[in-house]
Amino acid sequence: YKSSKELMPDADCLVVTDLIAGEGFKKIINENDKVYKLLVLDSFLFRGQSSLGDKWRNILKLLVLPIQVILLKRFAKKNPYAIYHAHSMYYLVLARAAKVNYVGTPQGSDILVKPYRSKFYKHFTVYGLKRAKHITVDSKMMQEGVYSLSKKNAHIIQNGIDVTSIEDYKINAINEEQKISNRSGVLSMRGFTELYRIKDILQARNQTESKYSITFIYPFYESLYKTECNILIQSNDLDLGRVERNKMYELFLKAELVISIPSSDSSPRSVYEAIFCGSPVAISYNSYY
């Protein structure tokens, strides 16, 4: 949304949403943003993130889908020339059901994981992909996954990296005489869930003779999995949770090793940001790199 406003200053950019700050996520919409609210589900969701909370959210979103379709159709009548960018599969399905013109951007698990775990979700996915005017993905693997499911050709648009912000931060850090050259410790910066194999990282560290400290930052977590991992946490580990971007840059500049080893991945911006901060990064093989 912010990129759209920067790239198209003369266009009217709006957010149409059913989620704003539920499940413990920080509210990032401000009073200057133009927001059209569907039926907002925040108050009906769990207070924190968990696998049970994920299931409940998915069930709830399916139950209220007819209501959201009606609300989106009302919005479409008032904005007849709008082009919709549906990001994540639920919103592709919503856009198709409301019969609006939409570009779809599915998330990695929408294409690479969920359709192969559930026949219902596979039909759900194909339904959302089929009527998209265009589909954008961030990797060759995602492009092939979209074609396999829907026989539609997706456009690869690589995740953007704000190199200017990184370079500005590095210059300021040097000017403030921060010791960014003396790297130490390990940093895990992906989600704290089973997909990102946090337990594997902890177990591997605990088997080494030299007990490196691990700092954890993550945009989201799964509470039960996190509890299971707590027994592997050591006293010198740091759990910082969600951090601001500049804090993330600071941690990248100080880390001896950054780790990103999910069992399935697309094209993660945070890996590129770590590399542009000069960090050594350990990744599991994926064609994106």
Side-chain angles (χ1 to χ4, degrees):
Y1 170 68
K2 290 178 180 177
S3 296
S4 297
K5 289 200 297 182
E6 290 173 5
L7 291 166
M8 301 181 294
D10 297 326
D12 197 17
C13 299
L14 298 91
V15 174
V16 180
T17 186
D18 61 345
L19 299 171
I20 294 175
E23 297 178 289
F25 281 97
K26 180 181 177 181
K27 181 180 178 180
I28 57 175
I29 289 173
N30 61 47
E31 63 277 3
N32 297 319
D33 296 328
K34 294 182 179 180
V35 181
Y36 177 86
K37 296 179 182 178
L38 302 173
L39 176 61
V40 176
L41 305 178
D42 294 354
S43 59
F44 301 103
L45 303 177
F46 287 21
R47 291 184 179 180
Q49 301 156 46
S50 65
S51 56
L52 182 60
D54 288 343
K55 291 173 183 175
W56 165 242
R57 184 189 344 100
N58 293 337
I59 292 170
L60 180 62
K61 286 169 79 84
L62 279 175
L63 289 174
V64 302
L65 182 60
I67 298 172
Q68 308 293 33
V69 169
I70 292 169
L71 293 174
L72 184 56
K73 282 184 173 181
R74 286 180 185 174
F75 175 85
K77 281 185 179 180
K78 296 177 182 178
N79 299 271
Y81 303 110
I83 299 170
Y84 297 82
H85 178 205
H87 186 268
S88 87
M89 192 52 63
Y90 177 82
Y91 300 103
L92 272 77
V93 170
L94 173 58
R96 176 175 177 178
K99 298 181 180 178
V100 300
N101 290 323
Y102 64 101
V103 174
T105 301
Q107 294 178 311
S109 59
D110 291 337
I111 301 299
L112 303 177
V113 179
K114 293 176 184 178
Y116 303 100
R117 290 181 176 175
S118 163
K119 288 184 178 179
F120 170 78
Y121 195 90
K122 184 175 182 179
H123 291 302
F124 188 80
T125 299
V126 173
Y127 177 87
L129 293 172
K130 281 287 190 181
R131 290 293 175 86
K133 297 295 182 183
H134 296 284
I135 300 166
T136 74
V137 294
D138 59 9
S139 69
K140 184 72 174 175
M141 188 184 301
M142 284 284 285
Q143 185 184 53
E144 291 170 352
V146 167
Y147 187 81
S148 174
L149 288 165
S150 65
K151 298 299 182 286
K152 288 181 71 75
N153 293 313
H155 305 277
I156 298 177
I157 300 178
Q158 200 76 20
N159 277 324
I161 308 157
D162 190 350
V163 179
T164 302
S165 293
I166 294 173
E167 291 303 316
D168 288 346
Y169 183 84
K170 287 163 73 174
I171 291 168
N172 291 334
I174 292 168
N175 290 340
E176 293 172 10
E177 297 183 350
Q178 294 182 20
K179 294 183 178 179
I180 61 174
S181 59
N182 298 325
R183 295 179 177 273
S184 64
V186 174
L187 177 66
S188 170
M189 75 331 189
R190 304 298 297 277
F192 207 121
T193 69
E194 186 174 3
L195 173 67
Y196 296 99
R197 297 168 60 197
I198 305 300
K199 187 182 289 186
D200 295 56
I201 295 170
L202 284 163
Q203 289 173 335
R205 186 279 308 275
N206 291 350
Q207 290 171 5
T208 63
E209 293 181 8
S210 181
K211 303 297 184 184
Y212 285 94
S213 65
I214 304 178
T215 298
F216 295 95
I217 60 173
Y218 41 89
F220 53 87
Y221 65 93
E222 201 282 300
S223 56
L224 182 60
Y225 181 76
K226 197 165 183 289
T227 300
E228 292 174 0
C229 290
N230 281 343
I231 59 172
L232 301 171
I233 297 285
Q234 296 184 356
S235 59
N236 60 340
D237 294 334
L238 285 176
D239 183 347
L240 300 181
R242 180 186 287 266
V243 299
E244 297 295 331
R245 191 159 297 277
N246 279 352
K247 180 63 177 178
M248 182 178 71
Y249 293 158
E250 177 190 335
L251 294 168
F252 285 159
L253 288 164
K254 292 181 177 178
E256 189 171 354
L257 179 67
V258 176
I259 300 181
S260 172
I261 55 166
S263 54
S264 174
D265 212 2
S266 184
S267 180
R269 181 184 291 111
S270 55
V271 169
Y272 303 133
E273 289 172 324
I275 291 168
F276 273 81
C277 285
S279 304
V281 187
I283 63 171
S284 48
Y285 176 79
N286 273 289
S287 58
Y288 75 80
Y289 90 84

